[in-house]
Amino acid sequence: FLPYEANPVFEGTGLDTWDKKIRERGYILLENGIYKMWYTGYKGDDTDTKFLGYATSPDGKDWTRYPGNPIYNDIWTEDMQVVKYKGIYYMFAEGKNDITHSLISEDGIHWKEQGPLDIHYTDGKPLNPGPYGTPTVWIENGKWYLFYERNDEGIWLAVSTDHKVWTNVQDDPVIKMGPEQYDLKAVALNQIVKYKGKYYAYYHGTD
């Protein structure tokens, strides 16, 4: 991978707008030749509520913000992933205190809040209080797979058949920190790709 010479292709306005600054993690889907981006904007410091914006591009380089932004500002929404399944858009995003919640939409612009995800351990007990964020969802054969992190200290996997109640596949991380230096202190998943029968996880880490 080489950095595009005209970077950045998208950034906060730097002006007195709701998206003066932008946050992790935006998400892009390519549909009918149009790149659709959902992103998080905010105005002040990291404690300010984060709102959801939308932008489109014909080439992935030149982006146009949706004139009706922000498209969702009821509750804190950042670090999102969007999947389209049977004609419906599903968004999984961090809320305040890194608690993952979900939203649904018929057009990708008007979203309805579905509340925090209900995740359980393998024995059926609810997840201990605390953050569970950076959600990444994969759907296959009618089953929903959720990858999530807790304090960036590992990546866990839970499954669901109704995308409402999720149960851990195992109570240990499926991806741990380290042992290399570059991801020794934190890991979080960005995206899953399936290619020629093999799954590839793209994630970020810090040392």
Side-chain angles (χ1 to χ4, degrees):
F1 292 90
L2 295 174
Y4 178 52
E5 63 274 9
N7 279 336
V9 296
F10 192 83
E11 59 185 330
T13 65
L15 304 173
D16 189 27
T17 64
W18 72 274
D19 57 351
K20 179 179 181 179
K21 303 174 184 178
I22 59 174
R23 282 279 294 177
E24 64 174 2
R25 159 190 53 161
Y27 203 81
I28 297 170
L29 289 180
L30 175 61
E31 292 189 310
N32 301 318
I34 298 296
Y35 292 90
K36 301 178 179 181
M37 177 199 292
W38 294 268
Y39 70 97
T40 295
Y42 67 110
K43 206 170 186 178
D45 58 33
D46 282 352
T47 61
D48 285 357
T49 300
K50 310 299 185 294
F51 298 142
L52 180 65
Y54 179 67
T56 57
S57 171
D59 56 11
K61 300 174 184 178
D62 299 311
W63 292 90
T64 300
R65 282 170 160 84
Y66 179 65
N69 278 340
I71 58 174
Y72 185 76
N73 58 6
D74 288 350
I75 65 172
W76 189 305
T77 302
E78 70 168 320
D79 208 355
M80 80 290 292
Q81 189 215 10
V82 178
V83 293
K84 192 175 184 181
Y85 184 66
K86 295 184 177 180
I88 300 296
Y89 295 91
Y90 296 84
M91 179 177 292
F92 300 88
E94 285 184 2
K96 192 172 184 180
N97 300 319
D98 289 353
I99 302 299
T100 293
H101 61 112
S102 66
L103 309 93
I104 59 173
S105 173
E106 295 183 356
D107 59 7
I109 297 174
H110 303 91
W111 293 90
K112 296 179 181 178
E113 175 64 32
Q114 303 299 296
L117 298 193
D118 184 12
I119 304 177
H120 296 251
Y121 292 110
T122 55
D123 64 4
K125 294 179 180 178
L127 209 61
N128 289 338
Y132 51 98
T134 318
T136 300
V137 169
W138 179 267
I139 306 170
E140 189 167 320
N141 297 325
K143 187 175 288 187
W144 298 59
Y145 299 83
L146 168 71
F147 298 84
Y148 66 95
E149 48 81 10
R150 306 210 74 186
N151 294 308
D152 293 327
E153 295 175 348
I155 299 166
W156 280 260
L157 172 61
V159 295
S160 174
T161 56
D162 62 5
H163 58 82
K164 295 178 181 178
V165 178
W166 305 79
T167 302
N168 278 354
V169 170
Q170 62 186 45
D171 291 331
D172 293 322
V174 294
I175 299 178
K176 300 179 181 180
M177 298 183 293
E180 303 295 334
Q181 185 64 38
Y182 72 91
D183 61 356
L184 193 60
K185 298 296 184 182
V187 290
L189 195 64
N190 296 317
Q191 189 168 4
I192 298 290
V193 174
K194 188 177 183 181
Y195 180 67
K196 293 184 177 180
K198 187 176 289 187
Y199 300 89
Y200 296 85
Y202 291 87
Y203 73 98
H204 62 274
T206 62
D207 62 2

